[in-house]
Amino acid sequence: MAENPMLKFVDRDQSYPAKRPALARAEDFREIADKYALESAEDQSARCSQCGVPYCSVHCPLHNHIPDWLRLTAEGRLREAYELSNATSTMPEICGRICPQDRLCEGNCVIEFSGHGAVTIGSVEKFITDTAWEEGWVEPIVPGPARGQSVGIIGAGPAGLTAAELLRVRGYDVHVYDRHDRAGGLLTYGIPGFKLEKPVVMRRVDRLIEGGIVFHQSFEVGRDATLEELRGRHDALLVATGVYKTRDIKAPGVGTKGVVEALDYLTASNRKGFGDAVPAFDDGSLDANGKNVVVVGGGDTAMDCVRTAIRQGAKSVKCLYRRDRANMPGSQREVANAEEEGVEFVWLSAPEAFDGTDGVTGVRATKMRLGRPDASGRRAPEPDPGSEFRVEADLAIKALGFDPEDLPKLFGSPDLGVTRWGTLRVDHKTMMTSLDGVFAGGDIVRGASLVVWAVRDGRDLAEHMHKYLKTKAAVAREEKIAA
């Protein structure tokens, strides 16, 4: 009987792809770790215990067939592993890079519970599809028979791009409208290259263009066309704009020059990476070089900002967060990476005011202590009287998260229903908004969430919109016959 290639976790240690030395990787915006060699990917995949109930798949929003493609990888059947991985995800190599695996698949790996260290699922996922691109296994999009119906998608982030691909495969004409001059949304302009190199995103976009999807870039709904006008152009619409309204700090001096929004800062950096002219970066406003930088916030966006500042040559980088390390929302792996690269975390601290007249010179803050749990289940921070302190700052970056924009006003569509949080209201059985034929998903429905959930929504939306459009076409045929 042939030896079982799996269940090797007892005698094979967990091993992630080696990270480049911190000082070296802080000099550029390349990803911090190279991909596995083939032998390493096979070796690590073979550690999977092939659970009867695979918690990794259960806790993956896409319910990827993780144990199955791990086994195929361990057996050297890499093309089959890619095809299975690609069956549930439109961008597995992107999710493999930026998903918080420590909170999802790897964090729920059975052998992690047993003390052997989780299977390195994200790194293997990245390896499989990167190899597929290199080997030419990633096939072009082949549209189905033309249906004579068109779909308009507002927003070119992961939810919109996923729905666009799956609807195009079903034979629909697909038009994507986006406010930026490049598709990808936060994948392109929000996430730094050291987590997601931009050619990885652009090759996905190019594949969609080659598949016949039409992109209307630098297009703002409400300025270039109202939502109602787009409804007239298409048989169905999808709103997948994400959430871009930044949460602000209520503190004296918050409007001081040099106190900037996280997304403005990250977008400027990413644009420079593309080689664009960025006046606000070139004049030094959004460049951390030589500056004392303070970032306020504890999520993944804050981690992106502090690590970007290091690479821009900041004199010092401090992160102020009002809770402790155990209660922060960002990835613990990202915190560890930031610390290795020279970021100083000032836990249990919150800004009280920003000093400076012609430009920010410092942040006055107070120490916090954790009280009783709040509605989120985490212990609520409260000020510790008499613990005020000051941190020098030439650049202060606000990274407190994002809220929805006022889309009914922005789109000129007052009948578009929203929740009390400003997200779009949908019927969760159909994912349709209050307007017939207008669907919505991703962060504009969920609130700020993960890329993998946006991909999941895009997949579900394509299914719901397909059902709606088939019904619409059938009704039109019956009306034509009756006439």
Side-chain angles (χ1 to χ4, degrees):
M1 182 183 292
E3 181 189 1
N4 186 342
M6 309 305 288
L7 298 160
K8 304 298 185 184
F9 62 89
V10 175
D11 53 21
R12 294 184 190 174
D13 292 334
Q14 180 193 63
S15 177
Y16 286 94
K19 291 190 288 188
R20 294 186 288 135
L23 289 177
R25 67 189 195 233
E27 295 293 324
D28 59 48
F29 281 84
R30 283 177 48 215
E31 291 175 14
I32 69 171
D34 294 319
K35 75 172 188 177
Y36 281 128
L38 176 59
E39 296 77 13
S40 298
E42 292 176 353
D43 190 67
Q44 288 300 303
S45 296
R47 297 181 67 248
C48 176
S49 62
Q50 298 287 286
C51 308
V53 179
Y55 293 130
C56 55
S57 296
V58 170
H59 288 272
C60 170
L62 292 167
H63 301 314
N64 289 331
H65 305 302
I66 296 168
D68 298 320
W69 50 252
L70 286 172
R71 183 174 185 122
L72 289 168
T73 302
E75 293 175 348
R77 298 158 64 185
L78 205 58
R79 183 163 189 168
E80 292 170 81
Y82 159 68
E83 289 170 353
L84 192 57
S85 172
N86 192 61
T88 52
S89 177
T90 55
M91 45 187 72
E93 76 281 23
I94 292 175
C95 290
R97 285 168 162 85
I98 62 176
C99 269
Q101 286 95 7
D102 52 338
R103 303 205 305 261
L104 298 173
C105 53
E106 293 179 23
N108 291 281
C109 176
V110 167
I111 66 171
E112 170 77 7
F113 300 155
S114 68
H116 290 89
V119 179
T120 55
I121 296 167
S123 298
V124 175
E125 182 179 34
K126 168 186 169 183
F127 168 82
I128 291 169
T129 305
D130 280 353
T131 302
W133 281 102
E134 293 165 8
E135 297 294 330
W137 301 338
V138 179
E139 297 178 352
I141 293 171
V142 179
R147 294 179 177 273
Q149 290 175 294
S150 72
V151 174
I153 296 176
I154 303 168
L161 295 183
T162 295
E165 175 175 342
L166 299 178
L167 287 165
R168 183 63 183 146
V169 168
R170 287 176 166 96
Y172 297 101
D173 294 332
V174 180
H175 292 255
V176 179
Y177 302 89
D178 193 74
R179 67 175 67 176
H180 297 297
D181 57 351
R182 292 181 182 90
L186 291 179
L187 299 177
T188 299
Y189 287 131
I191 298 174
F194 52 79
K195 285 170 62 177
L196 178 61
E197 291 179 4
K198 300 312 156 188
V200 174
V201 181
M202 292 300 109
R203 68 188 179 189
R204 281 283 171 195
V205 175
D206 290 342
R207 179 171 171 269
L208 298 179
I209 294 170
E210 291 161 6
I213 294 169
V214 180
F215 284 84
H216 305 264
Q217 292 165 336
S218 301
F219 188 105
E220 291 189 23
V221 180
R223 182 193 69 187
D224 299 301
T226 65
L227 188 70
E228 195 59 35
E229 287 170 339
L230 289 182
R231 290 179 77 189
R233 293 182 196 177
H234 301 287
D235 295 285
L237 287 182
L238 164 58
V239 181
T241 56
V243 290
Y244 279 85
K245 181 182 175 184
T246 52
R247 294 175 187 159
D248 214 340
I249 300 170
K250 294 180 181 178
V254 74
T256 303
K257 181 181 177 182
V259 181
V260 303
E261 307 286 358
L263 193 55
D264 292 342
Y265 175 68
L266 293 172
T267 299
S269 178
N270 280 313
R271 283 193 175 280
K272 290 303 293 185
F274 278 109
D276 295 352
V278 186
F281 182 93
D282 297 333
D283 69 13
S285 301
L286 295 176
D287 184 1
N289 186 39
K291 296 178 180 177
N292 294 306
V293 177
V294 174
V295 176
V296 180
D300 288 334
T301 300
M303 298 306 99
D304 292 344
C305 290
V306 294
R307 298 182 66 203
T308 294
I310 288 287
R311 284 158 175 78
Q312 290 178 349
K315 182 179 178 181
S316 70
V317 182
K318 292 182 173 65
C319 180
L320 304 186
Y321 180 56
R322 60 184 183 156
R323 290 184 169 94
D324 59 10
R325 184 174 191 144
N327 285 279
M328 72 176 301
S331 166
Q332 291 295 330
R333 291 181 186 176
E334 285 298 292
V335 176
N337 288 331
E339 287 178 327
E340 291 168 5
E341 293 163 5
V343 175
E344 179 185 341
F345 286 86
V346 187
W347 305 111
L348 290 166
S349 58
E352 291 287 313
F354 297 87
D355 293 337
T357 50
D358 295 331
V360 67
T361 58
V363 179
R364 280 180 279 148
T366 186
K367 298 299 290 183
M368 309 293 283
R369 59 191 180 196
L370 296 180
R372 298 173 64 84
D374 61 13
S376 71
R378 293 182 297 165
R379 294 173 64 192
E382 51 191 40
D384 189 1
S387 63
E388 294 78 11
F389 65 99
R390 185 178 184 277
V391 180
E392 285 190 27
D394 308 304
L395 178 65
I397 303 171
K398 300 175 290 181
L400 298 167
F402 302 95
D403 288 322
E405 296 163 286
D406 186 352
L407 290 193
K409 182 178 180 182
L410 200 64
F411 287 0
S413 183
D415 294 337
L416 186 62
V418 297
T419 68
R420 62 191 178 97
W421 298 281
T423 53
L424 291 188
R425 187 183 300 279
V426 298
D427 178 340
H428 290 283
K429 292 181 180 178
T430 63
M431 301 183 80
M432 194 186 295
T433 67
S434 56
L435 301 176
D436 182 62
V438 179
F439 297 78
D443 286 4
I444 194 58
V445 171
R446 292 180 177 274
S449 186
L450 301 174
V451 167
V452 68
W453 275 113
V455 175
R456 166 63 185 271
D457 281 357
R459 195 177 74 184
D460 291 347
L461 280 157
E463 188 65 35
H464 288 300
M465 294 175 76
H466 177 51
K467 289 178 182 176
Y468 171 85
L469 288 162
K470 283 198 301 182
T471 301
K472 186 173 184 177
V475 169
R477 285 193 300 269
E478 289 173 5
E479 289 177 347
K480 188 176 181 180
I481 292 169

